[in-house]
Amino acid sequence: MLVLLGLVLCLVSADALTAFPPKFQVGKLNGDVVVRCNTSVQHVSWTQNGEPEPMAEVVAEGQTLTILGVDLPAAGNYSCWAGPVLLDSTYVVVGGTGKEGMNVSCQAESYRGSFHCTWTGPRSAVFRARLTRSDGSLGQWVPAAGRWGRFSASLADPSFCPFAEELRPMELQLEGLSDTSYLNFSFHFFVRDIVRPDPPQELTVQWRGEQLHLTWAPPASWPLPKSYFALLYRLQYELRNGTQRCPHPAASLPEPGRFPCLPTLSPGTELWSCPVPHPHRLTPAALVPPAPPGCDLPRLQVDRYVEGTEELRLQGRVRRVRISCQDPYANPAWSPWSTWQDVGAVRQPRLRAR
């Protein structure tokens, strides 16, 4: 029974690595590697991936095993035994930078110091991640989830202060083991550059006379106070004939006229609603361009961009609305859209005859 149990624990071939091993050792290609058995037993036997004859030239001496001229076939799980009893195991891999094609990307939903990172790597690899925090301290290793060569990990910096200026970037250290190789990569970033808010919440629709009154709230994950962590909101609405109004920077600000982004449209005027630069950098001429080449959108009026308030009034035959947001002072990434809010389900009050 002990022999069978030992074989189950140790017959882990290099291509079946599913978690970061407790012990591993990195060797240089064609260099020697010394593996030590953590035991008081003086005479032990060795296996590589469960096989008593390793695919490498080895020299066993007491509690140590020297692997001569390590190459890729020599990589794998080396275990020491006392008869049928498994004593210790060390995973041996060949060193390499592993930077090529990893494509690391991190994203935070707010300035609370927590974020999620994804990257690519060999399908046979397992990874773990560790954060060098904003105060210079090292975080704990976090095991990464992986599937078909895509990996991810969620990390947090409890020392991060959302009100303080970021003077130094954070460092994300990735460490991985493939079936034969060691992978190591560092990624530096500022939190302000990776923030992408969650969708706004509590979007409500009410009729007030002939005007549609919209109200909403910031994402629940967004930090407070709102006066300090301002958001720019983007409303997209659809007409009752089914035509969708696509995003276009038109601003409605607390100070009317501060922005040249709400032109007065004469009857029959139509605008192309294709993406253009940030509203703070628009000129009036940018609001009425001709249809750009390859822009396959209907001719529509512009949507609304709103900053500094969480309500808006609309006129017209609106069918449904949705909303997203961004931090206008940092990363310009927009949040995902909220779910569509059906205006048809909101009853419009009848006007009283005078």
Side-chain angles (χ1 to χ4, degrees), residues 200-250:
Q201 59 177 345
E202 301 175 11
L203 175 62
T204 59
V205 181
Q206 291 179 325
W207 283 102
R208 295 184 181 178
E210 295 184 347
Q211 289 187 327
L212 194 63
H213 187 79
L214 308 178
T215 59
W216 58 87
S221 58
W222 196 248
L224 297 174
K226 294 185 288 186
S227 58
Y228 187 86
F229 297 100
L231 286 171
L232 177 69
Y233 296 94
R234 175 173 60 173
L235 283 154
Q236 185 180 72
Y237 48 97
E238 192 174 76
L239 303 181
R240 290 187 186 178
N241 62 3
T243 303
Q244 183 172 315
R245 294 189 174 186
C246 302
H248 187 90

Side-chain angles (χ1 to χ4, degrees), residues 281-303:
R281 295 188 289 273
L282 284 178
T283 60
L287 291 171
V288 285
C295 182
D296 189 21
L297 291 176
R299 293 186 177 185
L300 306 167
Q301 294 179 355
V302 295
D303 283 356

Side-chain angles (χ1 to χ4, degrees), residues 23 72 77 88 107 142 156 167 178 188 213 228 235 239 252 255 260 263-265 269 308 320 335 339 344:
K23 288 179 61 179
L72 297 183
N77 196 46
D88 196 12
Q107 182 176 301
V142 175
L167 300 178
S178 70
H188 297 80
H213 187 79
Y228 187 86
L235 283 154
L239 303 181
S252 175
E255 301 176 22
T264 302
L265 303 179
T269 300
R320 57 179 186 167
S335 77
T339 57

